[in-house]
Amino acid sequence: MAAITSDNHGLRLAARYAVLVLIAVIFIFPLIFMLMSSLKPDQQLLTDTESLRAFLPVGDISLDNYFAAFRRAPVGLFVFNSVLVTGLTVLLSLVVCSLAAFAFVFVDWRGRELVLTLILATLIVPFETIAIPLLLISANLPWIGLEGVTRGWLNSYQVQIVPFVADGLTIFLFVQYFKDLPGELIEAARVEGASWWQIYRRVVMPLAGPVLATAAILKFLAMYNQYLWPLMVVQQERYRPVMVGLQYFFQLNRAWGEIMAYLSLITVPVLAFYLFLQRAFIASIASTGVKG
Amino acid sequence: MARVSLSGIKKNYGGVEIIKGVDIDIADGEFTVFVGPSGCGKSTLLRMIAGLEDISDGTLTIGERVVNDLPPKDRSIAMVFQSYAIFPHMTVRENLAFGLTIANAPKAEKDAKVAEAARILQMEHLLERRPSQLSGGQRQRVAIGRAIVRKPGVFLFDEPLSNLDAALRVDMRMELSKLHADLGATMIYVTHDQVEAMTLADKIVVLNAGIVQQVGSPLELYHRPANIFVAGFIGSPKMNFLKVRVEAVDATSVTVGSADIGKLVLPRANATAKVGDEVTIGMRPHHLTVGGAQDITGRVVLVERLGNETLAAVVLGSGQQIIAALPGDIDVAPGQELHLATQADRASLFLANGLAA
C-alpha cells in the first residue's frame, strides 16, 4: 500500500480545488458577462463577445443601460410585484406545508398514508397539464375584497399566490425532515402536557431551521421565475411580475444592453435571499447526507 | 404520589397480542421494576401506563381514577426516556420548566420549582447551558429534573441508564435510589438489566413474551423463582440447570439423582413432583463450592478471573456444562478435574412444564 505523504496529499488537495474552481467559474461567468454587458453600449457589447473582453469592464462603461431600462419598463413595480408575490407565497407555503407534514408524520389518523401518497404523486404532474383547468377555476372564484364580493381572480395578486401555497415537493421535504426527528421528543412533549399545536410551535418548528431554509429557497426560486402562469392570468401592468416584464425588452428594437441591465437588476433579490439563507441551506444539504 | 393498578391489560397490534393480560398492583411510593429480555413487552407496558400507547383491553388505574382513555398529561405521570428526550433548542432551565410553560404557570412558581429540582439533582450551575454542552450523565439528570418539576404521582423510567457508560451507570443507579428515598414517589422502571432491577427495586415484575412470569421482591425472585425462566433470568452468572430424575418423594423432601450429581436430597414440603419424573435442578453458581460431601465431578474448560471471584466453566460426565463462582484466588486451570458440592437446601427444582416443584 502506498504511503500517503504530505506531498501527494497537497497535490490531491490542489487538484480538488482546481476542479472546484473550474465548476465555480463555469457557473459565475454568465453572471459576470451579464453584469459587464449591462455597462456597455450595444455596438461594443456585440463586438466584445468575440473575445475575453466580454467578461471585463473595458471600453465605454456607463450606467446608461440602467436608466434606459427604467425608462422602457416600470422595473421597480415589477420587482415589487415579484418580491411581494414570492415572499407571501414562500411564507404561506412554509406554514401550510409544514402543518400538513406534521399531521402526516406525528398525528395518527386513518388514511394518512393514502393521502400522502396522492400528494406525492402530484410531483410527477407537469404544471402545463393543469394550467388550463386552473385558469378556468381561477377565472370563476369569488373573492371578498375592499370592493365587496367579486367573481374571478384574474389580474390580481392572489391568483399568483394561492395556487402555489401548497405543493407536493415542499410537503415531501418537511415530511422527510420530521421523520428524522427523534420520536421521543414528541412523546416527551405530550407527556409534559403539550397540545399538538404547542408541539408544532415549541418543539418541532424550532428544530426545523435547515428544512425551512431549503424549502424557502426552492420555493423562492420557483416563484420568482414564474412566467407561464402570470402570463396567462395577468394582463394588467400593475400586477405583472419581473419575468413577464422581460417582454418589454423584446419588442421592436431589441436593446441587449438594456436587457442585461434589467436582468442584473432582477437578479439582486435572488442573490440577497440566497445569501441570507445560505448557511442554513448548506447545513440542510449536509444533514441530509450525514446522519448524526 | 399514587398507587397504580393494572388489571387484565392487553395490547394487540394488528391482530397480534403483544401484552397478554397483565395484572399488577403497585403500592403508593413503591419502586417497581419491569424486567425481561428484549421484545418481552415491558416498554410497551410502560408506554401504555404513560398513555403513549392505547390499551386494547383491561383496566388501568392510577390513584383512584381509571385512566384508560385519558391523555398522558392528565394521568399524573412523568416519564424519563432512554434517549433522554430533552429539547436540544432549549436551555436546561427551559427544559426543566417546559411542562409549566405549557401550562402557563406564573413565572415565580416556575422559577421556584426549577430551582428546587436543580437543587435536588445538584445542577444549579448548568441551568443556562444547552443540552449539546452537557455530558450524557448531565443530560440524564436534566431529563429526571424535568420529571421532578411536574411533581407527578408516578415516575416512569424507560431504560434510562442504558446509554451511559458502565461507571456512570452505577453512580446514576445509586442517585436514583436516593431520589426515590427522598421523594417517596411511586416509580416504575423498565430495564433489561437484571442487576439494575435487583439493586433498585422494591418489587420486580419479570416479563416474558407479554406475560408476567413472577412478581416479588428481588430476594424472593433470586431464592424462590416461580419458574425456569425467572430462575435463568435473575442472577449473574445465570443459574445452572441439570436434567435429573425424581427418585423418591416424601412429606418434607424430594430425592433426585443423575450420573452427574449422584443423589441429592432437596428439602421440599408438599412437592408436586412424582417418582420417575424427568425434572430440572437449578443451582446458582455462587452456591457451588469446591470439595464437600456431595460431589459433582467435571473437567474445567474455561476460567474467568474477576479478582473478587473466579468463574469456572465445568463440563460434567454427561456433557452438560455448569458455571461455578469460586473464590478469587483459587488454584484452578483449564483441563483440571474439579469436585464441586452444592447446597441442597438452596437448589431449585423445576417440573417438565417449567414451573417450580
Side-chain angles (χ1 to χ4, degrees):
Chain A
M1 212 167 94
I4 297 173
T5 64
S6 61
D7 276 356
N8 73 24
H9 175 72
L11 266 176
R12 272 167 32 191
L13 202 63
R16 187 179 303 172
Y17 273 105
V19 171
L20 291 176
V21 166
L22 184 69
I23 294 173
V25 162
I26 290 171
F27 275 90
I28 206 159
F29 260 40
L31 282 176
I32 293 177
F33 173 72
M34 174 183 81
L35 204 60
M36 292 307 142
S37 301
S38 73
L39 301 171
K40 298 171 185 174
D42 273 12
Q43 194 56 44
Q44 188 202 331
L45 189 159
L46 292 172
T47 49
D48 277 0
T49 53
E50 293 162 12
S51 69
L52 280 179
R53 291 167 62 89
F55 302 105
L56 298 171
V58 289
D60 186 6
I61 297 296
S62 74
L63 291 175
D64 288 351
N65 288 328
Y66 287 86
F67 295 122
F70 273 101
R71 276 194 302 274
R72 192 190 279 242
V75 181
L77 174 70
F78 292 166
V79 170
F80 170 81
N81 285 344
S82 269
V83 168
L84 179 77
V85 165
T86 304
L88 279 177
T89 314
V90 168
L91 277 181
L92 289 171
S93 148
L94 292 182
V95 173
V96 168
C97 296
S98 64
L99 276 171
F102 183 89
F104 283 123
V105 176
F106 299 119
V107 187
D108 200 9
W109 46 280
R110 189 185 287 269
R112 65 175 172 168
E113 290 295 329
L114 177 70
V115 177
L116 181 59
T117 307
L118 288 176
I119 286 178
L120 295 186
T122 64
L123 285 177
I124 59 168
V125 179
F127 178 74
E128 285 75 5
T129 58
I130 60 163
I132 300 297
L134 200 57
L135 175 70
L136 295 178
I137 295 171
S138 305
N140 289 305
L141 282 174
W143 182 260
I144 302 172
L146 294 174
E147 306 86 22
V149 179
T150 54
R151 187 162 285 278
W153 282 18
L154 302 186
N155 289 309
S156 67
Y157 286 124
Q158 73 264 23
V159 75
Q160 300 180 67
I161 295 173
V162 176
F164 304 100
V165 163
D167 74 290
L169 178 65
T170 311
I171 292 176
F172 175 71
L173 287 175
F174 277 107
V175 163
Q176 287 308 107
Y177 189 83
F178 289 170
K179 275 185 177 168
D180 282 346
L181 288 178
E184 290 195 342
L185 283 183
I186 312 304
E187 291 180 342
R190 280 178 65 197
V191 170
E192 292 288 314
S195 63
W196 285 123
W197 172 247
Q198 285 168 321
I199 293 172
Y200 170 79
R201 200 170 68 79
R202 290 180 183 275
V203 179
V204 172
M205 290 318 276
L207 295 174
V211 69
L212 282 171
T214 309
I217 286 179
L218 294 179
K219 194 76 188 176
F220 184 97
L221 289 179
M223 288 306 295
Y224 198 75
N225 288 331
Q226 282 268 19
Y227 180 76
L228 177 63
W229 180 247
L231 192 65
M232 289 167 67
V233 295
V234 174
Q235 277 79 45
Q236 292 173 12
E237 190 173 84
R238 58 180 287 216
Y239 296 112
R240 195 162 282 160
V242 287
M243 291 306 162
V244 180
L246 199 53
Q247 285 174 329
Y248 284 56
F249 297 88
F250 283 95
Q251 292 158 352
L252 299 172
N253 54 334
R254 191 163 300 175
W256 287 109
E258 288 176 37
I259 292 174
M260 293 301 168
Y262 181 76
L263 290 176
S264 300
L265 284 170
I266 67 176
T267 305
V268 171
V270 182
L271 285 180
F273 187 72
Y274 178 73
L275 289 176
F276 175 63
L277 290 175
Q278 185 190 29
R279 192 178 290 268
F281 183 67
I282 290 171
S284 165
I285 297 292
S287 73
T288 52
V290 186
K291 300 272 188 224
Chain B
M1 281 182 284
R3 56 182 280 276
V4 179
S5 162
L6 290 77
S7 169
I9 295 287
K10 288 184 183 172
K11 175 75 188 174
N12 302 314
Y13 279 118
V16 182
E17 205 165 55
I18 305 292
I19 304 287
K20 300 168 183 167
V22 166
D23 300 283
I24 305 169
D25 269 307
I26 297 166
D28 195 0
E30 200 169 42
F31 199 123
T32 301
V33 175
F34 294 171
V35 69
S38 294
C40 70
K42 55 191 187 297
S43 280
T44 306
L45 199 56
L46 191 77
R47 292 167 55 81
M48 289 162 82
I49 297 173
L52 295 172
E53 298 278 353
D54 293 335
I55 296 171
S56 305
D57 197 11
T59 310
L60 172 64
T61 315
I62 297 179
E64 301 307 317
R65 289 182 308 164
V66 173
V67 297
N68 280 39
D69 298 320
L70 292 184
K73 67 183 168 81
D74 297 331
R75 295 190 178 198
S76 179
I77 52 118
M79 186 153 169
V80 177
F81 293 84
Q82 181 174 358
S83 66
Y84 319 138
I86 51 179
F87 306 117
H89 57 292
M90 298 179 194
T91 62
V92 169
R93 180 187 297 283
E94 289 164 341
N95 263 288
L96 293 179
F98 184 79
L100 298 170
T101 307
I102 289 294
N104 275 326
K107 189 172 180 309
E109 181 193 343
K110 261 198 312 203
D111 289 347
K113 285 188 172 170
V114 168
E116 166 77 0
R119 187 189 58 74
I120 292 173
L121 295 169
Q122 294 161 19
M123 52 180 197
E124 289 105 327
H125 59 296
L126 302 176
L127 285 176
E128 305 312 324
R129 294 216 195 149
R130 289 196 184 265
S132 58
Q133 299 166 305
L134 302 178
S135 68
Q138 288 169 333
R139 287 179 203 188
Q140 187 55 271
R141 236 174 264 229
V142 176
I144 295 170
R146 192 171 61 193
I148 293 176
V149 166
R150 301 194 63 213
K151 292 212 184 315
V154 184
F155 284 81
L156 307 175
F157 296 92
D158 190 4
E159 309 219 15
L161 306 187
S162 44
N163 286 358
L164 301 178
D165 64 51
L168 201 53
R169 206 177 306 163
V170 175
D171 290 348
M172 284 302 289
R173 216 162 65 198
M174 290 182 190
E175 285 197 33
L176 279 175
S177 267
K178 189 170 166 297
L179 187 70
H180 178 241
D182 290 348
L183 299 177
T186 310
M187 294 187 174
I188 305 178
Y189 186 106
V190 162
T191 180
H192 62 269
D193 180 347
Q194 53 99 13
V195 177
E196 266 173 38
M198 294 292 282
T199 49
L200 286 168
D202 296 322
K203 176 153 83 189
I204 296 180
V205 177
V206 182
L207 286 151
N208 189 33
I211 296 170
V212 173
Q213 302 292 319
Q214 188 172 3
V215 179
S217 72
L219 288 183
E220 260 175 70
L221 265 55
Y222 186 77
H223 291 303
R224 290 190 296 283
N227 58 41
I228 207 160
F229 176 83
V230 176
F233 195 80
I234 300 289
S236 175
K238 200 171 160 243
M239 184 184 268
N240 297 302
F241 297 112
L242 292 175
K243 294 280 177 212
V244 293
R245 184 179 292 276
V246 177
E247 297 191 344
V249 181
D250 64 29
T252 56
S253 69
V254 178
T255 306
V256 296
S258 75
D260 285 332
I261 64 164
K263 230 183 250 298
L264 204 56
V265 182
L266 310 180
R268 280 284 183 292
N270 310 318
T272 44
K274 292 189 290 293
V275 174
D277 282 356
E278 293 279 353
V279 294
T280 303
I281 184 171
M283 297 173 292
R284 298 242 173 242
H286 288 95
H287 296 159
L288 292 169
T289 49
V290 175
Q294 284 147 332
D295 259 0
I296 302 173
T297 304
R299 192 163 297 280
V300 177
V301 290
L302 185 71
V303 176
E304 291 183 318
R305 297 204 177 270
L306 305 179
N308 63 332
E309 64 181 8
T310 296
L311 302 180
V314 179
V315 173
L316 307 179
S318 65
Q320 300 186 84
Q321 181 177 301
I322 59 173
I323 306 277
L326 305 172
D329 47 6
I330 194 167
D331 180 24
V332 288
Q336 182 184 328
E337 191 163 273
L338 205 60
H339 300 279
L340 296 166
T342 188
Q343 300 162 20
D345 54 333
R346 303 177 93 166
S348 303
L349 200 60
F350 303 100
L351 303 175
N353 62 10
L355 295 178

